[in-house]
Amino acid sequence: MKVLIVGAGATGGYFGLRLAQAGRDVTFLVRPKRAAALRERGLRVVSPGHEEVVMPQLVTAAELDTQYDVVLLSVKATGLTQAVDDLAPVIGPTTVIVPFLNGMAHLDLLNERFGKEAVLGGVVKVVTSLNADGDIVQSAPLATFELGEQDGGTSARTKELTALLDVPGYEVTVSPDIVSAMWHKWVFIASVGAVTCLMGGTVGEAVAAGGSTFSRAVVTEAAAVSAAAGFPVPDVTPIETAVTQAGSSLTSSLYRDMAAGHSTEGEQILGDLVDRGRRYDLATPLLDAARLRLRVHEQQRA
């Protein structure tokens, strides 16, 4: 099966490298600048005392000329619309799209553009980032990949995809309720994002300043939206523990992007959650404040 991975950043690059190492037919859709860097250095995953490299198959949007069986969509929310336009010519009648994005708004866009039957749900967890050289730095061994039908249950194609994607370097599973899994991850990343962006530091720094009560209140707001949408978090204790752990170095991609002066996924992760809360007449003042903080950041960038 021919696999197209859209994006070769910290997430798509990691999973794509593992697939390429296992001999899968993998091509990366990247921008010309990223393509040039990868052709020169290769796609690298770096961890303490270890480095792995593959020379990937690459294609740019202007070079797309064939349909693919599987598309793994790993772009930031800010690049989703362009990615969808780029993908249109390569989506065939049996192509399966598995997005790696956070939140839920991307499902609405993909379903509208390609049809719900073409799109699976996906949840990936991996602790990676890009360094100044464009290499993927893996700072913890966690690497998991869940996929599933939006309507739930299992299917022949999810079993076939699992066999294709089950390679060394991460754990892949089929979720019988992938939409719930996506919502629950969303609650976690929105909570950590709101805490670290509003406090301007790590979870541990927020706790040291007396922020534990505040952090729990953030989790309560995020979980309330998920519950109102029909996807209650079975137990919020692990999320509360994550955002109230003394000495924790945990931050969020939202905070890291903000601190580095980059554009953030604030509207995808926080803004859309707040908007959905409004539909259920929920008050989310802390999440509102975090969204506003990131909007100010974007205005400052502009």
Side-chain angles (χ1 to χ4, degrees):
M1 298 180 75
K2 292 171 62 66
V3 180
L4 180 68
I5 300 181
V6 185
T11 301
Y14 176 83
F15 288 98
L17 178 140
R18 297 302 181 204
L19 289 167
Q21 285 178 323
R24 302 300 194 259
D25 185 357
V26 174
T27 301
F28 292 87
L29 172 59
V30 292
R31 294 176 180 174
K33 183 177 179 180
R34 180 64 169 157
L38 290 172
R39 289 189 175 110
E40 179 179 346
R41 282 185 57 80
L43 181 62
R44 297 170 184 261
V45 170
V46 180
S47 55
H50 189 61
E51 180 174 294
E52 300 170 86
V53 59
V54 299
M55 299 306 296
Q57 297 185 78
L58 304 172
V59 66
T60 63
E63 298 166 337
L64 286 171
D65 61 359
T66 187
Q67 293 182 345
Y68 289 83
D69 301 301
V70 181
V71 174
L72 303 182
L73 184 56
S74 181
V75 296
K76 287 205 168 186
T78 51
L80 178 61
T81 301
Q82 183 61 57
V84 166
D85 289 339
D86 293 340
L87 282 175
V90 307
I91 304 299
T94 60
T95 301
V96 180
I97 304 169
V98 187
F100 287 179
L101 286 78
N102 293 315
M104 298 298 294
H106 62 283
L107 277 189
D108 298 335
L109 176 60
L110 292 170
N111 289 346
E112 180 179 354
R113 185 66 180 269
F114 301 116
K116 184 179 179 181
E117 66 280 358
V119 184
L120 298 184
V123 173
V124 296
K125 298 177 183 177
V126 64
V127 189
T128 53
S129 59
L130 289 185
N131 63 17
D133 294 322
D135 298 337
I136 300 165
V137 179
Q138 186 178 15
S139 52
L142 172 69
T144 63
F145 182 171
E146 286 183 86
L147 59 89
E149 298 285 354
Q150 291 186 55
D151 290 333
T154 59
S155 64
R157 67 174 177 175
T158 56
K159 292 178 181 178
E160 185 179 14
L161 277 174
T162 302
L164 172 72
L165 301 171
D166 188 8
V167 301
Y170 62 87
E171 179 184 2
V172 60
T173 58
V174 175
S175 170
D177 190 2
I178 193 64
V179 175
S180 287
M182 294 172 66
W183 267 96
H184 298 164
K185 181 186 177 184
W186 192 8
V187 171
F188 176 81
I189 62 173
S191 297
V192 178
V195 168
T196 54
C197 288
L198 282 177
M199 296 298 98
T202 67
V203 163
E205 289 168 336
V207 172
S212 293
T213 299
F214 154 79
S215 298
R216 290 191 188 93
V218 169
V219 175
T220 297
E221 289 187 5
V225 179
S226 187
F231 305 96
V233 179
D235 181 8
V236 298
T237 303
I239 305 176
E240 290 182 340
T241 299
V243 297
T244 58
Q245 185 175 354
S248 172
S249 61
L250 179 64
T251 60
S252 65
S253 61
L254 289 176
Y255 171 71
R256 292 191 295 273
D257 285 340
M258 184 181 74
H262 299 156
S263 183
T264 76
E265 293 185 300
E267 289 302 317
Q268 171 88 358
I269 295 174
L270 294 176
D272 189 38
L273 190 63
V274 165
D275 289 342
R276 291 173 193 251
R278 293 286 183 277
R279 299 174 196 172
Y280 304 110
D281 296 322
L282 293 176
T284 55
L286 300 178
L287 294 175
D288 291 351
R291 177 196 211 179
L292 182 59
R293 175 66 189 92
L294 290 173
R295 282 184 169 179
V296 171
H297 166 73
E298 298 296 342
Q299 289 180 349
Q300 291 170 334
R301 289 187 70 252

